[in-house]
Amino acid sequence: MDDLTSRRLPPVGQTIRFMPGDLLRREAHVDAAVLRRFVTGFFLVLCVAVAAWPVLPRRFEAIGSVILRPTDREGQSDSALAMRQPLDDNAVQSEMDLVSATSVIDAVIERHAVAADPEFATPSLLADLARRAGWTPGPVAPTQADLRERVRRHLVVARDRRSYTVRVGFWSADPAKAHAVAQTLVSAYLDDQVTRKRQAAESLFQWLELRVALLRSKEQDSAQAVEDFMTRSGLVDRGDQISLDAQLVTLSQEAALAKARSIELTTRAATLATLQASNGLDGAPEVLASTTIQALKQSLSAALGRTVVMSPEQRAITEQITAESSRIVRSATAEGENWSRREAALQAQIRAIRAALTERQKATMVLERLQQEAANDRTALSDALTRLKGQTASGGAQRTDVEVVSRPEMPRTAAFPSLPLYALGTLLAACLAGAALNGRLLLGWGRRFLEL
């Protein structure tokens, strides 16, 4: 048995007795060992953290603030209107995305020679290790797309709470570079916005010019169509309408008179024909009023007074009276027919005039439609000319849709790493390291706690 064993094991047959003082000394020895291991781990992590602090990569952020503004000319000069503009979250997010637009990033890359900057042109650590191991070919210059992506990773674009204020900036290991690139970023963003608005205004101006040319040609065609139709339809001669109206009135009056005369004479002729058929024509007013019949009757009376027996002279006078009566009936019938034909001719003329008036009315309706189209074309042309004039007046007064509240300033302290957070993390890591060195003891305490 060696000395170590003899110290650990008592002699055979000897009873081991534990005194209270021995137990206290053993617990004190255990507590001192636990504390010593904890302090060793704590200070080891603390020393490593203190030594690593100076060599940690720094991140300097240069950030400015802008406020989104309305896009119309009235809102650009009225800050109160900017606060009342109905921009939703999607519109604000879209405007934030325009900060990293390709044109803006390309302006930053060109102005600061990013392609030759080691911070952006140097390949990543994994790519460098793969190249050194021979897994990838030799170093290749980054493409424009790679440079854009690397620059976008350094952008700082965030919305300030729920307002229209947007924080725009750039971070880098060099505070001067971060400040310079952030200034360029804000300026390029504002210039790009003005450029986009100017391009939109130029496109609108070109479209308005084309529209004015088309509307002017259309207005001229419609005006010419009105003139041609007035000449072709005869509506250009307004005296023709007056003449037709006067003719219609006169012929209508004459037709009414002819109709009345035709009815009257037709009725009288029919009455005379009836009397003639019934041998009562002698009592007709027309026969009684005929001077020829009256003279013949006087001659007949004189002849009857000379002889009782009807002589040839009497028969001749009677035949003359009968022939004259028949002539009166025929004359009445012919006069009635003449008035009927006159009425028919007047009615035909009236119908022709009415047809002409109807055609003129139809032509007038077509003319009104053509005139309305021409008026609409003139109105559209006037509106287009007004918009073109307004666009021409406002073409050189394009302003940005944002207001720069504060320009990016030179950062004096690094945003990362943060000393308070680094100190807090170091203390936490040191405590965990000290506890890890007493892991077996903590594990035993945990088991006993679970057994309880």
Side-chain angles (χ1 to χ4, degrees):
M1 185 179 298
D2 55 4
D3 295 338
L4 182 59
T5 306
S6 63
R7 292 196 208 105
R8 293 180 178 176
L9 299 177
V12 179
Q14 185 178 355
T15 305
I16 301 175
R17 296 180 180 179
F18 292 98
M19 301 300 294
D22 296 336
L23 183 59
L24 293 176
R25 284 193 298 272
R26 183 174 180 83
E27 291 179 355
H29 177 71
V30 172
D31 292 341
V34 171
L35 182 59
R36 184 171 57 254
R37 287 193 294 269
F38 180 82
V39 171
T40 300
F42 183 87
F43 278 99
L44 180 61
V45 173
L46 188 62
C47 292
V48 172
V50 172
W53 171 257
V55 298
L56 287 177
R58 296 299 191 267
R59 173 172 170 168
F60 294 91
E61 295 182 356
I63 300 176
S65 297
V66 298
I67 296 180
L68 304 184
R69 301 294 299 273
T71 56
D72 55 352
R73 286 179 294 172
E74 291 76 10
Q76 290 179 350
S77 59
D78 187 2
S79 59
L81 182 59
M83 300 299 104
R84 298 193 297 268
Q85 61 177 346
L87 288 180
D88 56 3
D89 292 340
N90 296 329
V92 176
Q93 184 61 45
S94 299
E95 192 65 30
M96 291 170 59
D97 293 337
L98 290 176
V99 179
S100 59
T102 301
S103 56
V104 178
I105 301 300
D106 288 343
V108 172
I109 292 174
E110 180 181 0
R111 190 171 303 179
H112 293 276
V114 174
D117 192 339
E119 186 175 359
F120 302 99
T122 304
S124 63
L125 180 59
L126 293 178
D128 186 60
L129 293 176
R131 182 183 61 81
R132 292 177 183 274
W135 298 339
T136 58
V140 180
T143 62
Q144 189 73 8
D146 296 334
L147 292 177
R148 292 193 193 106
E149 186 62 28
R150 294 174 186 179
V151 171
R152 286 191 178 100
R153 295 196 192 111
H154 287 249
L155 295 183
V156 179
V157 182
R159 186 178 181 182
D160 191 3
R161 299 179 297 277
R162 299 287 294 176
S163 64
Y164 295 142
T165 303
V166 179
R167 299 169 64 245
V168 180
F170 192 83
W171 68 268
S172 175
D174 184 3
K177 182 192 299 184
H179 175 254
V181 176
Q183 290 280 8
T184 302
L185 179 66
V186 174
S187 300
Y189 166 62
L190 298 179
D191 294 342
D192 178 73
Q193 190 174 86
V194 174
T195 301
R196 285 188 286 105
K197 292 184 67 176
R198 185 176 294 111
Q199 290 176 353
E202 291 176 355
S203 300
L204 179 59
F205 182 79
Q206 294 176 358
W207 178 80
L208 286 175
E209 282 187 331
L210 179 60
R211 178 173 174 80
V212 166
L214 293 175
L215 289 177
R216 182 176 286 111
S217 176
K218 186 177 180 182
E219 191 272 338
Q220 293 175 354
D221 293 341
S222 59
Q224 187 64 37
V226 171
E227 294 180 2
D228 295 342
F229 184 79
M230 289 182 65
T231 303
R232 185 172 62 254
S233 61
L235 294 178
V236 68
D237 185 9
R238 299 184 181 275
D240 192 14
Q241 177 72 30
I242 299 175
S243 176
L244 289 176
D245 291 337
Q247 291 179 26
L248 181 62
V249 172
T250 302
L251 291 177
S252 297
Q253 293 176 353
E254 292 182 0
L257 179 61
K259 186 176 182 62
R261 290 290 297 168
S262 175
I263 294 174
E264 178 184 358
L265 292 174
T266 302
T267 304
R268 189 178 67 178
T271 302
L272 291 175
T274 303
L275 291 175
Q276 186 180 15
S278 60
N279 296 321
L281 189 60
D282 294 337
E286 291 79 1
V287 175
L288 294 177
S290 176
T291 56
T292 301
I293 293 179
Q294 290 177 2
L296 291 173
K297 284 185 177 181
Q298 290 178 0
S299 299
L300 180 63
S301 298
L304 290 175
R306 289 194 297 269
T307 179
V308 177
V309 180
M310 181 168 294
S311 62
E313 181 183 1
Q314 294 176 350
R315 286 195 297 272
I317 293 173
T318 303
E319 291 175 357
Q320 291 179 357
I321 292 173
T322 304
E324 183 65 19
S325 298
S326 298
R327 187 192 64 79
I328 290 175
V329 173
R330 291 194 301 272
S331 176
T333 303
E335 187 176 3
E337 293 175 353
N338 289 335
W339 279 104
S340 297
R341 286 193 294 271
R342 178 181 176 83
E343 179 196 1
L346 290 174
Q347 292 294 340
Q349 189 65 25
I350 289 174
R351 285 194 296 272
I353 294 176
R354 288 185 180 276
L357 290 175
T358 302
E359 293 298 326
R360 289 183 65 88
Q361 185 65 27
K362 292 180 180 179
T364 302
M365 296 173 62
V366 175
L367 178 62
E368 290 177 354
R369 179 175 58 81
L370 293 176
Q371 290 175 341
Q372 183 63 39
E373 292 179 357
N376 294 337
D377 293 339
R378 285 194 298 272
T379 303
L381 178 60
S382 177
D383 294 341
L385 289 173
T386 303
R387 290 189 61 187
L388 182 62
K389 183 178 180 180
Q391 187 67 23
T392 304
S394 63
Q398 299 295 339
R399 299 179 57 186
T400 60
D401 296 339
V402 297
E403 177 185 359
V404 179
V405 179
S406 61
R407 288 276 182 176
E409 298 180 355
M410 179 74 72
R412 298 183 179 180
T413 59
F416 177 85
S418 175
L419 183 58
L421 295 178
Y422 186 79
L424 181 61
T426 300
L427 292 177
L428 181 59
C431 293
L432 292 176
L437 293 179
N438 296 291
R440 295 181 62 185
L441 180 61
L442 294 177
L443 184 60
W445 287 351
R447 289 178 179 175
R448 287 196 294 270
F449 178 78
L450 293 176
E451 290 176 358
L452 293 178

